[in-house]
Amino acid sequence: IDYLERAFPTRQMQVFIDDTGAPRSLPMVDGRGNPVANPEAEAARAELIETLCAMPPIMSALDAMLEHFGHDNVAEVTGRTRRLITRSDGRQTLESRSARLSQAEAAAFQSGRKRILVFSDAGGTGRSYHASLDAANQEQRVHLLLEPGWRADRAIQGLGRTHRTHQAATPLFRPVTTDCKGELRFTSTIARRLDSLGALTRGQRQTGGQGLFDPADNLESEYACAALLSWFDLLAAGKLASITLDDFQDRTGLELAGRDGVMKDQMPPIQRWLNRILALPIALQNSIFEEFLALVETRVSAARDAGRLDAGVETILVDRATVIEDLVLRTDALTGATSHLLTIEIMRRRNCVSLDRILRVAHEDATAAFMINRRSGKAALRTRARALMEEKEGTPIPRVEMMRPGRNEYMRVDDLQETSWEEVDRDSFSAIWAGEVEASRQIVDTETIRLATGLLLPIWSALPSDHLVVNRIVDGQGCSWLGRLVFDDHVPQLFARLGIDRAQALPADAVARAVSAGRTIDIAHPFPLTIKRSRVNGSHRIELVGCPADQLHRLKSLGCFTEIIAYRTRVFVPMASAQAVLGQLLA
């Protein structure tokens, strides 16, 4: 009724729908523009309100299922303490619920007395509903995902309740969604990740992430909250194409600006903003979400490139892992707990996307194109990726995703035009892709890594600050190690901060790998120098910054080359011979 009062106030209604369904204009003002009474419009308004008030209330999904299937057949494990029960005679009674009753409901489902289980976020923590071999009910679970919320980690945790180890049958997941952009986009992300990564087929116990979701999928993360503030700034500046500030405030009821037109200091939280967006028309939702997600992706990409992206615990699956060296970094004086630096040699085979799967992806995506790099002869499937957005002007930056047999990478459309990638026909692409997959199956990569493990909190500040990911290394025999990776170029700095007197030479291959990965390394021998990765003319190079002018001839004799760019001499190391050149430089 409040909505109708605002939408159709007296003496402002201009269109009336009669009994035949035909619209008829109703004059609301006289010849001088003064408002006049309109009994016909007022009667139509009163009739509309009377009809709406006579309609039965819309039931929630939980209550609708309980009423349809019956309370004796549905086990409810939620956080609510009261619920209405409809008796056989049609009367309703208020039933009180306790935590112990939720445990009894879960036990009734596991024992087979109740065939349907409904659990919420509050009822899906610390419980297992899978077809356990120890339970009486070992039938396959069909998990319908309703109202997943905005957090990917909580959604995957809920899915993990019905898929565990020691089970008789794997569950069948059925995400249910409407055509609302926000809900559809989030649920489709869950379905795509589960399908492409085989997310829960391993039946692992760690269901809080498992690397299934990108931080951009979490619409309540710190990156999303920061992106929302940028979205508000662009909205106030009138730089968004989807909606204006006045229209947004009128539609959502959120007051972003004061009477003087200045934006408020306290903006609405992202949960309230997301809920209000879902009340908008579908087409408008789509436009707003595309702009907002572009801002989120921009911040996540920037954090990933800078090495500040906290992705939680990432599991590295390897075929074999061997501990070569175990160095004690610190021993706690009170508890005796130790911090270690492990040197581990890992061996793993490359997992590549099959040709059938990539062709199926190309068939389902209308923007897909078959690409081949004319320099390297490698193949990639180009698809359209979510655009980034320039935060100051709100200008979209289109991007593409290059799907390779062993990895995916994102590239701006302008940068793609400067590379050696070109479109080819399907047969040529298929031949090269199949060849890469077959060649990768015969390759076993061997790598030596260092892992800081044990009691990490006292030495956390001494560990590198440009790589904050916690890794779990799991080999084929079931052995696992948990800690933070320490790259070769960070080892001397770690020893110096902890006061460990141990000579640690910096291998040239480690420097080359570190710089190629995008990290910057400062060295003091043979002279103060910074080695970093730079982008020149659309390609990556290894650059030596801070070279003294009297050392240019020596560097060029080692294999380096110089270019004068913007009236400044810059020194570069050839990518093909970077290890050899850096080895001579650091010797």
Side-chain angles (χ1 to χ4, degrees):
I1 296 178
D2 294 337
Y3 172 78
L4 293 175
E5 292 282 0
R6 296 193 303 269
F8 307 109
T10 306
R11 305 183 188 279
Q12 293 184 12
M13 183 177 293
Q14 298 181 357
V15 178
F16 168 65
I17 308 297
D18 59 18
D19 295 337
T20 63
R24 184 167 75 252
S25 298
L26 300 176
M28 303 304 298
V29 295
D30 56 17
R32 297 182 179 180
N34 298 320
V36 297
N38 193 322
E40 190 176 3
E42 293 180 358
R45 172 176 169 272
E47 182 181 358
L48 179 59
I49 293 177
E50 182 183 16
T51 303
L52 289 177
C53 292
M55 292 181 178
I58 300 176
M59 301 182 64
S60 64
L62 175 58
D63 292 330
M65 285 185 290
L66 289 173
E67 182 173 332
H68 179 78
F69 295 103
H71 299 82
D72 297 334
N73 299 320
V74 180
E76 178 188 347
V77 184
T78 62
R80 63 179 183 174
T81 58
R82 295 181 179 181
R83 70 177 183 181
L84 285 175
I85 298 295
T86 303
R87 302 299 182 185
S88 58
D89 55 359
R91 293 185 302 173
Q92 290 184 329
T93 58
L94 186 62
E95 179 187 74
S96 299
R97 298 176 54 83
S98 62
R100 183 174 300 178
L101 183 58
S102 296
Q103 296 178 0
E105 292 276 70
F109 173 75
Q110 289 295 90
S111 62
R113 296 194 304 271
K114 293 188 176 183
R115 302 296 303 279
I116 302 174
L117 170 70
V118 181
F119 70 93
S120 64
D121 189 14
T125 303
R127 300 181 184 272
S128 297
Y129 309 118
H130 63 295
S132 174
L133 296 176
D134 299 330
N137 181 9
Q138 298 183 5
E139 296 184 4
Q140 184 185 36
R141 272 58 169 162
V142 180
H143 193 147
L144 302 178
L145 178 61
L146 295 176
E147 302 176 359
W150 300 111
R151 296 198 57 173
D153 54 349
R154 290 185 181 178
I156 200 65
Q157 184 185 41
L159 294 176
R161 300 301 100 188
T162 56
H163 189 57
R164 300 295 222 193
T165 56
H166 193 65
Q167 62 185 3
T170 57
L172 183 64
F173 294 109
R174 293 296 188 212
V176 180
T177 181
T178 63
D179 57 354
C180 295
K181 181 66 176 181
E183 186 182 14
L184 179 62
R185 182 260 174 190
F186 189 79
T187 309
S188 63
T189 299
I190 296 176
R192 185 177 68 252
R193 296 300 176 100
L194 295 180
D195 177 65
S196 61
L197 299 182
L200 298 179
T201 56
R202 297 186 298 272
Q204 296 204 11
R205 295 182 181 272
Q206 309 97 335
T207 57
Q210 288 298 299
L212 306 178
F213 292 90
D214 191 88
D217 296 324
N218 188 351
L219 301 184
E220 292 183 3
S221 65
E222 57 176 315
Y223 306 105
C225 294
L228 180 60
L229 296 179
S230 299
W231 189 87
F232 285 142
D233 293 338
L234 296 174
L235 179 65
K239 296 180 180 179
L240 295 178
S242 60
I243 196 172
T244 61
L245 176 60
D246 294 338
D247 191 17
F248 178 80
Q249 292 184 125
D250 293 339
R251 288 177 177 270
T252 61
L254 295 176
E255 295 183 2
L256 306 181
R259 296 182 178 179
D260 54 357
V262 179
M263 298 293 287
K264 295 183 177 180
D265 296 334
Q266 190 71 21
M267 289 288 104
I270 191 169
Q271 295 86 355
R272 185 186 306 167
W273 181 83
L274 289 169
N275 292 332
R276 297 295 176 90
I277 292 298
L278 289 181
L280 299 178
I282 302 301
L284 185 57
Q285 281 188 42
N286 297 349
S287 302
I288 293 178
F289 263 101
E290 286 297 330
E291 294 171 341
F292 170 66
L293 295 176
L295 291 172
V296 177
E297 185 69 30
T298 301
R299 290 186 172 271
V300 171
S301 298
R304 183 183 290 110
D305 295 339
R308 301 190 306 269
L309 183 63
D310 185 5
V313 179
E314 293 186 353
T315 301
I316 302 176
L317 299 177
V318 300
D319 295 331
R320 188 174 65 182
T322 305
V323 178
I324 300 177
E325 183 183 12
D326 185 353
L327 176 64
V328 178
L329 298 177
R330 180 185 179 275
T331 302
D332 189 79
L334 296 178
T335 63
T338 56
S339 306
H340 299 257
L341 181 64
L342 303 179
T343 303
I344 306 176
E345 183 183 61
I346 60 176
M347 300 177 62
R348 52 184 170 182
R349 298 184 181 274
R350 300 181 181 179
N351 296 323
C352 297
V353 180
S354 64
L355 177 61
D356 294 338
R357 181 167 188 80
I358 200 65
L359 292 179
R360 186 165 61 252
V361 172
H363 177 72
E364 296 174 354
D365 193 340
T367 65
F370 302 114
M371 308 290 290
I372 289 181
N373 192 303
R374 62 175 179 269
R375 280 190 177 181
S376 62
K378 304 297 183 180
L381 181 68
R382 187 199 68 199
T383 58
R384 185 176 62 184
R386 186 184 302 117
L388 302 178
M389 180 173 288
E390 208 280 326
E391 296 191 10
K392 293 184 179 180
E393 298 297 331
T395 305
I397 304 175
R399 296 190 309 165
V400 295
E401 180 180 5
M402 306 295 290
M403 303 179 64
R404 306 283 297 277
R407 69 181 188 277
N408 293 358
E409 59 187 21
Y410 293 90
M411 189 179 301
R412 299 186 179 186
V413 174
D414 296 338
D415 296 338
L416 179 64
Q417 298 175 356
E418 301 177 0
T419 63
S420 301
W421 291 101
E422 58 184 15
E423 292 191 30
V424 294
D425 57 274
R426 172 172 174 167
D427 295 337
S428 301
F429 170 85
S430 301
I432 296 178
W433 186 283
E436 288 189 51
V437 172
E438 185 63 28
S440 299
R441 292 176 179 175
Q442 310 300 327
I443 300 177
V444 178
D445 295 327
T446 302
E447 183 182 2
T448 301
I449 62 174
R450 289 181 171 88
L451 189 73
T453 184
L455 186 62
L456 293 182
L457 188 58
I459 66 170
W460 190 269
S461 59
L463 296 173
S465 58
D466 60 347
H467 188 77
L468 302 178
V469 179
V470 177
N471 297 95
R472 177 185 287 107
I473 301 175
V474 181
D475 64 0
Q477 288 72 36
C479 301
S480 62
W481 298 264
L482 180 67
R484 281 185 55 182
L485 290 179
V486 180
F487 299 100
D488 294 335
D489 52 294
H490 291 143
V491 174
Q493 184 180 10
L494 176 63
F495 287 165
R497 290 181 177 180
L498 297 178
I500 299 177
D501 185 11
R502 176 171 175 174
Q504 183 72 27
L506 196 59
D509 58 342
V511 176
R513 289 196 306 269
V515 176
S516 299
R519 297 195 301 276
T520 300
I521 299 177
D522 296 324
I523 63 174
H525 177 79
F527 47 83
L529 190 67
T530 299
I531 308 175
K532 70 174 187 177
R533 187 180 70 176
S534 302
R535 190 176 186 87
V536 181
N537 295 330
S539 60
H540 290 293
R541 296 183 181 181
I542 297 180
E543 183 177 5
L544 306 180
V545 182
C547 300
D550 55 355
Q551 297 291 333
L552 293 179
H553 292 290
R554 178 191 173 188
L555 294 175
K556 293 172 69 174
S557 65
L558 297 178
C560 302
F561 65 95
T562 61
E563 286 189 14
I564 299 178
I565 302 176
Y567 305 101
R568 186 167 60 93
T569 302
R570 299 173 63 176
V571 184
F572 302 96
V573 178
M575 295 291 291
S577 57
Q579 182 174 341
V581 174
L582 293 177
Q584 299 180 55
L585 177 63
L586 300 176

